[in-house]
Amino acid sequence: LNPWDVMLCVSGTAIACENALVVAIICYSPALRTPMFVLVGSLATADLLAGLGLILNFVFQYVIRSETVSLLTVGFLVASFAASVSSLLAITVDRYLSLYHALTYYSERTVLCVHTMLAGAWGVSLCLGLLPVLGWNCLHDRTACSVVRPLTKSNVTLLSASFFLIFLIMLHLYIEICKIVCRHAHQIALQQHFLTASHYVTTKKGVSTLAIILGTFGASWLPFAIYCVVGDADYPSVYTYATLLPATYNSMINPIIYAYRNQEIQRSMWVLFCGCFQAKVSFRSRSPSDV
């Protein structure tokens, strides 16, 4: 057994377990039906499918060796990870809108916007996953192979370019969110006559949280996306594994950042596992703009 394949399988198992719990909690709790939790559920579903895809890829690689199955599993993984990245973009857009249009955020228009974003994200992701299955692969032309067989160089270039575009959009939106957070914190400080230190701490906390979110996303995916562009199929496969494995960690970290830190989901976990809510435990409902 290739130890890298084993690590990817273990990573996929952890990803599937973590995100399956998030999906179960959101489906179990009728209160978690707001646009924010719909987006979190979409992210968890995409990451769950990605984890299952890593497990299936390991099983079929060592149990059922077939070019058709290889294309299906690779296409499944591409679609799942594309849906995960697209869901992260949708969450970023939702956070920006919840701050920029705070007065009109809780409206039917927001629900329609969220559903439209998700439909577009999953539709594009499905198309990207179908490309290798429909013939955009290098099974019959080894010279066209990329660092991720059986995807072609042009295919991974398209995927990498899409990721860079999404990353730049998220970076721009988070910079705008930081500006809004700083402005709101300053206004609150003036209205309530907070000390300058308190204003500084509040602003620093919000900005640092956003930096952690974007930094984790970039650190996970950027090395793999860059290597897909500059790498060659003749390079040792260890380079592909070494950049792909950290990318899978993003799907492992997503539930912690976007789900388990949320007070409503924590309360639902108490209800789900304990069968009752302990009133002595205090929970504060978080708004969509909380970061």
Side-chain angles (χ1 to χ4, degrees):
L1 293 178
N2 187 335
W4 287 102
D5 289 329
V6 174
M7 285 189 287
L8 284 175
C9 183
V10 171
S11 178
T13 303
I15 291 169
C17 292
E18 277 187 294
N19 289 281
L21 179 58
V22 176
V23 173
I25 290 172
I26 293 178
C27 293
Y28 173 82
S29 306
L32 304 182
R33 296 292 185 271
T34 62
M36 176 182 64
F37 290 114
V38 171
L39 292 170
V40 172
S42 171
L43 175 62
T45 301
D47 288 333
L48 170 60
L49 294 176
L52 293 176
L54 290 172
I55 298 173
L56 291 175
N57 183 65
F58 177 82
V59 172
F60 290 140
Q61 186 174 353
Y62 288 96
V63 178
I64 305 175
R65 293 181 176 274
S66 169
E67 290 184 349
T68 302
V69 173
S70 175
L71 284 176
L72 290 175
T73 54
V74 169
F76 185 79
L77 283 171
V78 169
S80 301
F81 281 119
S84 176
V85 173
S86 299
S87 295
L88 287 174
L89 175 60
I91 290 175
T92 306
V93 173
D94 178 69
R95 285 183 168 180
Y96 172 76
L97 293 178
S98 69
L99 288 169
Y100 193 75
H101 301 289
L103 297 178
T104 59
Y105 177 80
Y106 294 97
S107 64
E108 294 183 359
R109 183 178 179 180
T110 301
V111 177
L112 177 62
C113 179
V114 167
H115 290 167
T116 302
M117 284 194 299
L118 289 182
W122 281 91
V124 172
S125 301
L126 181 60
C127 291
L128 291 175
L130 286 175
L131 289 179
V133 180
L134 297 178
W136 204 0
N137 57 70
C138 63
L139 292 179
H140 304 294
D141 184 11
R142 299 294 180 179
T143 59
C145 282
S146 67
V147 294
V148 184
R149 298 180 180 87
L151 299 182
T152 64
K153 294 178 182 178
S154 55
N155 195 341
V156 297
T157 300
L158 172 64
L159 295 174
S160 298
S162 301
F163 167 79
F164 291 136
L165 177 61
I166 290 176
F167 183 77
L168 290 176
I169 294 174
M170 289 179 63
L171 178 61
H172 172 72
L173 289 176
Y174 273 126
I175 290 175
E176 293 299 317
I177 290 174
C178 284
K179 292 179 180 178
I180 297 174
V181 169
C182 293
R183 186 166 61 249
H184 285 184
H186 180 69
Q187 291 174 349
I188 293 174
L190 292 178
Q191 292 175 0
Q192 300 186 5
H193 306 289
F194 283 173
L195 297 176
T196 304
S198 176
H199 169 224
Y200 172 76
V201 170
T202 302
T203 304
K204 182 180 178 181
K205 181 180 179 181
V207 173
S208 62
T209 303
L210 292 175
I212 291 173
I213 292 174
L214 191 63
T216 301
F217 176 64
S220 299
W221 277 105
L222 276 176
F224 180 67
I226 294 174
Y227 181 67
C228 284
V229 175
V230 303
D232 189 84
D234 296 331
Y235 290 0
S237 60
V238 64
Y239 296 156
T240 302
Y241 283 115
T243 53
L244 176 59
L245 188 62
T248 65
Y249 292 160
N250 187 65
S251 296
M252 197 182 302
I253 298 173
N254 283 339
I256 299 174
I257 295 178
Y258 296 96
Y260 294 134
R261 291 175 62 249
N262 187 277
Q263 299 291 331
E264 295 295 335
I265 289 184
Q266 290 177 11
R267 178 168 57 185
S268 298
M269 289 178 65
W270 275 100
V271 176
L272 181 63
F273 289 112
C274 301
C276 62
F277 175 69
Q278 297 184 7
K280 64 180 180 180
V281 180
S282 176
F283 291 93
R284 180 180 65 86
S285 179
R286 297 169 65 93
S287 68
S289 59
D290 285 345
V291 293

